[in-house]
């Protein structure tokens, strides 16, 4: 049995010193095993935290590439009925709802999905599934629902109300999110207890496609398959337009200025831009850049290399123009130290091509590869932490891994709650990410293992500690009901899910954090065999 749990047990049994279990495994070189377990645990935890910083850095670039993918437009030729003149417009290819559920939710959940998939690939050929992936994804779902809601509810300014404008789409997403965890409990405890069959894994993945179709049908108000709910007062522009007075109208099509700005922006501002996909201004473009296509192509190619070079220059720059304006020398030193800490990651990720190449698809794919690489290191460090400390891997997954890999979700939803005029994307990102966690994050790894086991052994995939995972699902379901009920009450009483009177916003935030603590404590006690 080569699941994460059994690998840890084998490592722990490999050597005993004075009756104390010593972990003989290592991360870089064999001499690590001669150090004390406490010292090794500190170093591995620091390494894990540093990997989370790397995930945040590459996810920021991932969001930027995703924005360019979503902003891709198609040419539409029509005839003006009055003048009979030909009118050329450019309309976005991506539907807003599908973009939220697929690219945005998938992007923010990709660190967890990548980690679970790597865990599954490492266990190919074994009859038992690893516990690291499922534990991380269930813990990530709890982190998304409770702490992220707790942050978002206090993000609007005092007294400002932000509500969901399209309740129909949100209810569809919420229903599929709840059903995802009910379905997971059914296949673990009811349909085929403690095992996952090929059919169960396949049905889990297929349901993600059904979610996309159902949400799109609700957005378009298809008859018979959509809820009979009218769309709320959604503004024409979901994100307020930010006007830079230093630019005039002639700068709109300046490829170099736009791309250079994206190369030099900080991670948080990169994440902000993903929400500009909801801006009505980007829907239709009637003008085209001046000059011939050949001239524009040469200028663009020249600018791309300049921007790529700027990415490396920015990576080794310790003081930005903004930090130089700070008068406090100590604050400037702290910022410089932080840039120095991030420099290795920034230099590595500067290899990712600029996001304005091929509508962002090349940067999109390269970012996914880097995220997968960092996730692989995270899985190895988690094995070692469990080995040297004896902490159950599920407990690490519920807490450290879930929180670290969900950081992109937190940042994305926080900025959506701050900038957007409605609560749609901030809350949709949470509910959709939870659905993606189950249907894709758990479904795909289990499908990989069940397909191999079916053809190799004619056996299903056995789940280690299925009882503990099922118990966590029940706790999550119970606490999530408490979370949704409060959101509904806020909508009925205050008039919005986010914001409102400061006191009530902070009380709601504290309540959500309490629910998360309840989930983590009870789940950890159960998988550790204490309760």
């Amino acid at each position: 049995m080569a699941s994460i749990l059994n690998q840890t047990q084998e490592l722990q049994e490999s050597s005993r010193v004075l009756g104390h279990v010593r972990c003989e495994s290592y991360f870089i070189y064999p001499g690590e095993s001669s150090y004390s377990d406490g010292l090794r645990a500190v170093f591995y935890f620091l390494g894990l935290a540093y990997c989370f910083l790397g995930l945040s850095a590459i996810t920021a670039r991932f969001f930027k590439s995703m924005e360019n993918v979503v902003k891709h437009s198609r040419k539409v030729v029509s005839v003006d009925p009055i003048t009979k003149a030909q009118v050329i417009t450019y309309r976005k290819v991506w539907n807003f709802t599908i973009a939220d559920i697929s690219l945005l939710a998938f992007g923010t959940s990709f660190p967890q999905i990548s980690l679970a998939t790597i865990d599954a690939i490492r266990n190919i050929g074994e009859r038992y599934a690893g516990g690291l992936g499922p534990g991380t994804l269930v813990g990530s779902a709890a982190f998304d629902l409770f702490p992220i809601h707790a942050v978002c509810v206090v993000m609007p300014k005092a007294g400002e109300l932000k509500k969901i404008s399209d309740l129909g789409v949100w209810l569809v997403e919420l229903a599929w999110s709840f059903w995802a965890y009910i379905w997971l409990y059914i296949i673990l405890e009811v349909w085929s207890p403690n095992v996952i069959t090929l059919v169960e894994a396949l049905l889990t993945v297929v349901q993600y496609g059904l979610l996309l179709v159902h949400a799109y049908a609700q957005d378009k108000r298809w008859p018979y398959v959509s809820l009979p709910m009218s769309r709320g007062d959604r503004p024409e522009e979901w994100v307020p337009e930010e006007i830079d007075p230093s630019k005039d109208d002639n700068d709109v099509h300046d490829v170099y200025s736009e791309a250079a700005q994206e190369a030099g922006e900080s991670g948080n501002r990169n994440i902000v831009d993903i929400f500009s996909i909801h801006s009505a201004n980007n829907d239709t473009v009637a003008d085209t850049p001046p000059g011939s296509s050949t001239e524009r192509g040469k200028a663009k190619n020249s600018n791309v290399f300049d921007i790529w070079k700027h990415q490396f220059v920015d990576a080794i720059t310790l003081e930005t123009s903004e930090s130089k304006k700070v008068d406090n020398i100590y604050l400037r030193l702290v910022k410089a130290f932080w840039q120095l800490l991030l420099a290795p990651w920034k230099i590595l990720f500067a290899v990712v091509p600029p996001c304005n190449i091929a509508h962002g698809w090349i940067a999109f794919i390269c970012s996914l590869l880097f995220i997968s690489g960092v996730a692989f290191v995270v899985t190895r460090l988690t094995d070692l932490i469990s080995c040297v400390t004896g902490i159950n891997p599920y407990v690490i997954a519920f807490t450290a891994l879930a929180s670290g890999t969900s950081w992109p979700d937190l940042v994305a939803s926080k900025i959506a709650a701050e900038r957007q005029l409605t609560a749609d994307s901030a809350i949709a990102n949470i509910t959709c990410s939870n659905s993606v966690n189950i249907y894709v994050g758990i479904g795909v790894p289990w499908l990989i293992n069940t397909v191999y086991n079916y053809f190799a052994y004619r056996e299903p995939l056995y789940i280690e500690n299925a009882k503990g995972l099922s118990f966590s699902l029940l706790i999550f379901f119970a606490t999530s009901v408490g979370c949704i009920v409060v959101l509904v009450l806020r909508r009925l009483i205050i008039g919005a899910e986010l914001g409102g009177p400061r006191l009530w916003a902070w009380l709601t935030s504290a309540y959500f954090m309490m629910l998360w603590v309840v989930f983590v404590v009870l789940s950890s006690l159960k998988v550790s065999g204490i309760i």
Side-chain angles (χ1 to χ4, degrees), residues 8-316:
T8 301
Q9 291 173 358
E10 291 173 3
L11 291 171
Q12 289 178 333
E13 292 172 358
S14 61
S15 177
R16 296 181 180 272
V17 180
L18 298 177
H20 174 68
V21 177
R22 177 171 291 278
C23 178
E24 292 292 343
S25 187
Y26 59 92
F27 181 63
I28 299 177
Y29 68 101
E32 293 175 20
S33 58
S34 62
Y35 301 146
S36 67
D37 288 344
L39 181 62
R40 295 176 66 190
V42 170
F43 280 124
Y44 295 150
F45 269 115
L46 290 176
L48 191 63
Y50 194 64
C51 285
F52 290 153
L53 286 179
L55 281 177
S56 296
I58 187 58
T59 303
R61 193 171 293 274
F62 177 77
F63 280 144
K64 191 64 182 179
S65 65
M66 192 192 313
E67 179 204 7
N68 281 29
V69 170
V70 176
K71 289 171 70 173
H72 178 48
S73 302
R74 59 185 174 87
K75 183 178 180 180
V76 178
V77 181
S78 60
V79 178
D80 190 292
I82 299 176
T83 63
K84 304 301 181 182
Q86 189 180 68
V87 179
I88 299 177
T89 59
Y90 294 86
R91 298 186 181 276
K92 285 185 177 178
V93 175
W94 285 87
N95 171 269
F96 291 158
T97 298
I98 297 301
D100 278 340
I101 299 176
S102 56
L103 291 182
L104 183 57
F106 181 80
T108 55
S109 297
F110 192 77
Q112 302 97 298
I113 295 171
S114 180
L115 189 148
T117 304
I118 291 172
D119 188 32
I121 293 174
R122 294 195 309 170
N123 285 330
I124 283 183
E126 304 299 331
R127 291 174 169 82
Y128 280 79
L132 189 61
T136 302
L137 289 160
V138 174
S140 175
F143 188 90
D144 287 351
L145 193 63
F146 305 129
I148 295 183
H149 266 126
V151 171
C152 288
V153 77
V154 297
M155 279 301 102
K157 298 176 182 178
E160 184 181 9
L161 297 175
K162 294 189 178 183
K163 64 180 181 179
I164 299 172
S165 64
D166 196 338
L167 278 175
V169 171
W170 179 68
L171 288 175
V172 167
E173 295 167 349
L174 183 65
W176 279 97
S177 177
F178 270 105
W179 167 248
Y181 293 92
I182 295 174
W183 167 255
L184 191 58
Y185 182 83
I186 290 173
I187 62 178
L188 283 174
E189 293 292 334
V190 180
W191 190 343
S192 54
N194 303 326
V195 300
I196 299 297
T197 64
L198 177 59
V199 173
E200 292 170 342
L202 186 60
L203 287 177
T204 303
V205 176
V206 167
Q207 289 181 74
Y208 178 64
L210 297 178
L211 164 61
L212 290 173
V213 174
H214 193 186
Y216 183 79
Q218 180 64 41
D219 181 67
K220 295 300 182 181
R221 298 304 192 268
W222 288 356
Y224 306 113
V225 294
S226 62
L227 298 175
M229 301 179 66
S230 60
R231 194 186 304 277
D233 297 328
R234 183 169 68 183
E236 287 296 323
E237 295 183 11
W238 285 21
V239 179
E241 184 179 4
E242 294 184 352
I243 301 175
D244 187 349
S246 64
K247 293 185 178 183
D248 54 31
D249 293 339
N250 295 329
D251 292 329
V252 173
H253 300 293
D254 190 344
V255 178
Y256 177 75
S257 63
E258 290 181 359
Q261 184 180 10
E262 81 179 30
E265 284 179 337
S266 63
N268 282 347
R269 272 177 278 177
N270 284 338
I271 296 177
V272 170
D273 290 339
I274 187 62
F275 299 106
S276 67
I277 65 175
H278 295 296
S279 175
N281 286 345
N282 293 328
D283 264 349
T284 304
V285 181
D287 300 326
T288 55
S292 67
S293 58
T294 304
E295 291 173 350
R296 293 196 305 271
K298 290 181 179 179
K300 185 174 181 180
N301 290 334
S302 175
N303 291 334
V304 162
F305 288 106
D306 291 337
I307 299 161
W308 208 339
K309 181 178 71 174
H310 186 276
Q311 290 181 177
F312 286 94
V313 174
D314 179 66
I316 60 177

Side-chain angles (χ1 to χ4, degrees), residues 431-453:
T431 53
C432 294
S433 293
N434 284 351
S435 298
V436 170
N437 282 345
I438 298 301
Y439 299 134
V440 180
I442 292 182
V444 170
W446 280 356
L447 183 62
I448 293 172
N449 289 142
T450 53
V451 167
Y452 185 93
N453 286 10

Side-chain angles (χ1 to χ4, degrees), residues 237-487:
E237 295 183 11
W238 285 21
V239 179
E241 184 179 4
E242 294 184 352
I243 301 175
D244 187 349
S246 64
K247 293 185 178 183
D248 54 31
D249 293 339
N250 295 329
D251 292 329
V252 173
H253 300 293
D254 190 344
V255 178
Y256 177 75
S257 63
E258 290 181 359
Q261 184 180 10
E262 81 179 30
E265 284 179 337
S266 63
N268 282 347
R269 272 177 278 177
N270 284 338
I271 296 177
V272 170
D273 290 339
I274 187 62
F275 299 106
S276 67
I277 65 175
H278 295 296
S279 175
N281 286 345
N282 293 328
D283 264 349
T284 304
V285 181
D287 300 326
T288 55
S292 67
S293 58
T294 304
E295 291 173 350
R296 293 196 305 271
K298 290 181 179 179
K300 185 174 181 180
N301 290 334
S302 175
N303 291 334
V304 162
F305 288 106
D306 291 337
I307 299 161
W308 208 339
K309 181 178 71 174
H310 186 276
Q311 290 181 177
F312 286 94
V313 174
D314 179 66
I316 60 177
T317 301
L318 297 184
E319 266 201 311
T320 63
S321 57
E322 293 182 0
S323 63
K324 290 179 180 179
K325 297 177 183 178
V326 178
D327 295 331
N328 191 319
I329 184 63
Y330 298 105
L331 186 58
R332 289 180 61 179
L333 288 175
V334 170
K335 289 187 175 183
F337 175 76
W338 181 253
Q339 292 297 324
L340 181 63
L341 194 65
L342 293 177
W345 289 122
K346 293 174 69 176
I347 294 172
L348 177 63
F349 299 148
V351 176
V352 177
C355 299
N356 59 327
I357 302 177
H359 303 296
W361 280 108
I362 297 179
F364 184 88
I365 295 172
C366 290
S367 298
L368 291 182
L369 294 176
F370 274 114
I371 291 175
S372 299
V374 177
F376 175 78
V377 177
V378 168
T379 58
R380 183 58 184 157
L381 286 172
T382 304
D383 288 345
L384 291 169
I385 290 172
S386 180
C387 180
V388 300
T389 63
I391 299 175
N392 190 299
Y394 275 104
V395 176
I396 299 175
F398 286 144
T399 53
L401 283 185
S403 303
T405 56
S406 295
W407 189 254
D409 285 308
L410 173 62
V411 175
S413 291
K414 169 186 172 293
I415 295 174
E418 284 179 322
R419 290 200 60 212
Q420 285 198 313
L421 302 179
T422 70
D424 291 74
S425 281
I427 296 180
N429 179 51
I430 297 171
T431 53
C432 294
S433 293
N434 284 351
S435 298
V436 170
N437 282 345
I438 298 301
Y439 299 134
V440 180
I442 292 182
V444 170
W446 280 356
L447 183 62
I448 293 172
N449 289 142
T450 53
V451 167
Y452 185 93
N453 286 10
Y454 178 79
F455 289 103
Y457 311 121
R458 297 293 175 179
E459 290 184 3
L461 178 67
Y462 297 93
I463 304 300
E464 187 76 22
N465 204 353
K467 293 293 183 182
L469 187 59
S470 300
F471 178 83
S472 298
L473 290 172
L474 290 177
I475 297 299
F476 173 76
F477 189 81
T479 50
S480 61
V481 169
C483 176
I484 299 303
V485 167
V486 169
L487 289 177

